[in-house]
Amino acid sequence: MIPYGKQNINQQDIESVVEVLNSNFLTQGPQVPAFEKAISLHTGAEYTVAVNSATSALHIACQALELGKNDWLWTSPISFVASANCGLYCNANIDFVDIDPKTYNLCPIALKKKLEEAKSKNILPKVVIPVHLCGQSCDMEIIYQLSQEYGFAIIEDASHAIGGKYKGENIGNCRYSDITIFSFHPVKIVTTAEGGAALTNKPLLTERMDILRSHGITRNPDKMLNESHGPWYYEQIDLGQNYRMTELQAALGISQLSRIDSFVAKRNALAKRYQQLLSDLPLVLPYQANDCYSSFHLFVIRLKLNRIRKEKKQIFCELRQANIGVNLHYIPIYKQPYYQNIGFSSDYCSEAEMYYEEAISLPLFTDLTDSDQHYITNTLREIVKE
């Protein structure tokens, strides 16, 4: 089976992890701070807080922004459930902003309209989480301008997007957001096996997220409420979690990050080749905005079903039967039973619904070969021929 995504591990990666295994620290050593520094240097963000998953990063980001009961978090319905669940972990209310029909990212026009309506009802969001689907940035400048007008904080969910650019600058610099989140899951651009990071330019948010990832505990005398009892002393000053990243993960991340430009260039080359090989088929191929350079975590096609004599499910299953590991990113979050049970209707966002009816993710990863890509496109051609 050709998978939809796959990590690229070389000898340098292996040696970096083995070196840590032979060291004195498997956790809470020098590798995590070094990885955080490397991420900040790559993105231009002032601070990076590395954690054990992007879900954990989203959670501590919401906690650091003091999202809580009676607050609202808005995000895109076309994302993994973590983009919304992080608000529920904080007992906040969740709502969704429909997607742009071209980019499939959170639509700024829909956001502005929803904000106008929410203001009239006095239920504006405290936090908005735009999701950079497939690796292409949302239109962050417009979203940031709206945040200044309506007073909400922004967490960029850039889980797909490390290595990408927006307006000529690296995604993750937090120019248009309070916090940016990255994922280092094995199918992402770079991997730490599992892992994530929260980036910001604000010292106070950094301090809060640093404490929250480690049980809410501090050893900093300046943060303590009581006088120290001795060198062993620490205090829990908040209710945090054990979200720390290990030294093994960080070492792998440092090694992987050294190849990020080549990873993203290869993904872009593969995406361009897909565009050429599929251009004459009854498909909608990925749109790229002029001010974006996508990291191409995913290559999503949309089926022009009015020109194909098959349903999406049949096409999907035939591709799987041909050992092509296509996938779907994503089922609209509000269609999940949990969200249905808290009051969302099954057709809440019209553009998201149309996307879901037509979208399929084709395999895209650094080691995808020319022959595999030809096999994928030729097989798809036979399945969807008009």
Side-chain angles (χ1 to χ4, degrees):
M1 178 77 74
I2 303 170
Y4 87 86
K6 181 183 176 184
Q7 68 273 14
N8 174 287
I9 301 295
N10 69 7
Q11 190 60 34
Q12 173 186 298
D13 296 331
I14 295 168
E15 290 173 0
S16 68
V17 173
V18 171
E19 185 176 348
V20 171
L21 286 169
N22 289 320
S23 75
N24 292 326
F25 294 97
L26 297 185
T27 185
Q28 295 178 279
Q31 295 297 317
V32 171
F35 183 44
E36 292 171 335
K37 183 177 180 180
I39 296 169
S40 288
L41 286 172
H42 170 75
T43 60
E46 290 289 328
Y47 309 102
T48 298
V49 179
V51 289
N52 59 4
S53 73
T55 300
S56 299
L58 285 164
H59 187 194
I60 62 171
C62 289
Q63 288 179 301
L65 291 168
E66 300 183 331
L67 185 73
K69 189 175 181 180
N70 299 322
D71 292 330
W72 285 89
L73 180 150
W74 292 3
T75 189
S76 168
I78 301 299
S79 182
F80 187 56
V81 293
S83 303
N85 288 352
C86 59
L88 296 179
Y89 300 154
C90 298
N91 297 310
N93 301 300
I94 305 300
D95 206 352
F96 300 97
V97 181
D98 210 350
I99 61 171
D100 180 274
K102 282 187 174 181
T103 65
Y104 318 142
N105 285 331
L106 184 147
C107 177
I109 297 172
L111 176 61
K112 181 174 176 57
K113 181 179 179 182
K114 195 175 185 77
L115 286 166
E116 290 170 350
E117 294 171 353
K119 185 177 181 179
S120 68
K121 299 175 183 177
N122 198 30
I123 51 170
L124 285 166
K126 184 168 187 175
V127 174
V128 172
I129 301 185
V131 179
H132 301 335
L133 190 72
C134 304
Q136 177 172 210
S137 176
C138 296
D139 196 338
M140 291 307 303
E141 185 172 14
I142 293 178
I143 294 171
Y144 175 76
Q145 290 168 357
L146 289 170
S147 77
Q148 299 303 292
E149 181 178 354
Y150 289 95
F152 57 83
I154 298 173
I155 302 172
E156 290 180 72
D157 187 343
S159 293
H160 294 184
I162 191 169
K165 297 180 186 292
Y166 174 66
K167 294 188 179 295
E169 298 182 326
N170 287 338
I171 291 172
N173 63 19
C174 298
R175 181 180 296 279
Y176 301 107
S177 63
D178 297 275
I179 300 169
T180 299
I181 305 302
F182 287 141
S183 170
F184 307 120
H185 183 276
V187 298
K188 298 303 196 302
I189 312 303
V190 298
T191 186
T192 59
E194 278 280 8
L199 289 70
T200 185
N201 294 327
K202 300 182 178 181
L204 182 59
L205 293 179
T206 306
E207 291 172 7
R208 281 190 52 76
M209 291 190 292
D210 182 41
I211 289 171
L212 288 164
R213 71 171 164 181
S214 191
H215 303 282
I217 285 173
T218 185
R219 293 181 182 274
N220 182 350
D222 295 336
K223 297 292 180 183
M224 293 179 183
L225 300 181
N226 302 304
E227 187 174 337
S228 174
H229 301 173
W232 65 85
Y233 190 67
Y234 60 86
E235 286 186 351
Q236 181 186 342
I237 60 173
D238 207 337
L239 183 60
Q241 299 79 215
N242 182 4
Y243 285 166
R244 294 188 298 264
M245 176 177 278
T246 70
E247 291 288 278
L248 298 169
Q249 293 170 306
L252 177 56
I254 292 167
S255 181
Q256 288 264 304
L257 198 59
S258 69
R259 309 200 300 282
I260 189 169
D261 291 340
S262 63
F263 285 163
V264 175
K266 180 65 182 297
R267 287 174 174 271
N268 271 267
L270 289 165
K272 183 178 180 180
R273 197 152 177 265
Y274 265 139
Q275 294 273 5
Q276 294 167 346
L277 294 169
L278 300 173
S279 62
D280 62 331
L281 296 184
L283 307 170
V284 177
L285 300 177
Y287 166 84
Q288 294 298 295
N290 291 331
D291 57 3
C292 290
Y293 174 65
S294 177
S295 61
F296 269 110
H297 166 53
L298 299 171
F299 191 91
V300 173
I301 60 170
R302 289 179 68 168
L303 305 168
K304 295 182 179 179
L305 293 169
N306 61 330
R307 292 171 53 188
I308 303 171
R309 293 191 296 272
K310 294 177 181 177
E311 295 181 352
K312 172 182 167 178
K313 183 177 179 180
Q314 183 180 356
I315 295 167
F316 190 97
C317 290
E318 287 184 19
L319 286 164
R320 283 280 182 94
Q321 288 163 7
N323 288 318
I324 299 169
V326 290
N327 215 320
L328 187 282
H329 300 88
Y330 295 92
I331 302 169
I333 297 171
Y334 58 78
K335 296 178 85 71
Q336 297 296 338
Y338 184 90
Y339 283 86
Q340 298 278 288
N341 289 338
I342 61 175
F344 286 95
S345 63
S346 60
D347 58 351
Y348 190 65
C349 296
S350 59
E351 290 293 343
E353 289 293 313
M354 288 187 282
Y355 170 91
Y356 178 54
E357 290 299 318
E358 301 168 352
I360 294 177
S361 299
L362 298 183
L364 181 61
F365 50 93
T366 305
D367 294 334
L368 185 67
T369 65
D370 290 352
S371 60
D372 280 345
Q373 195 171 29
H374 270 295
Y375 174 71
I376 293 163
T377 55
N378 289 339
T379 303
L380 182 58
R381 180 177 300 279
E382 285 300 308
I383 291 171
V384 304
K385 61 185 178 184
E386 298 176 83

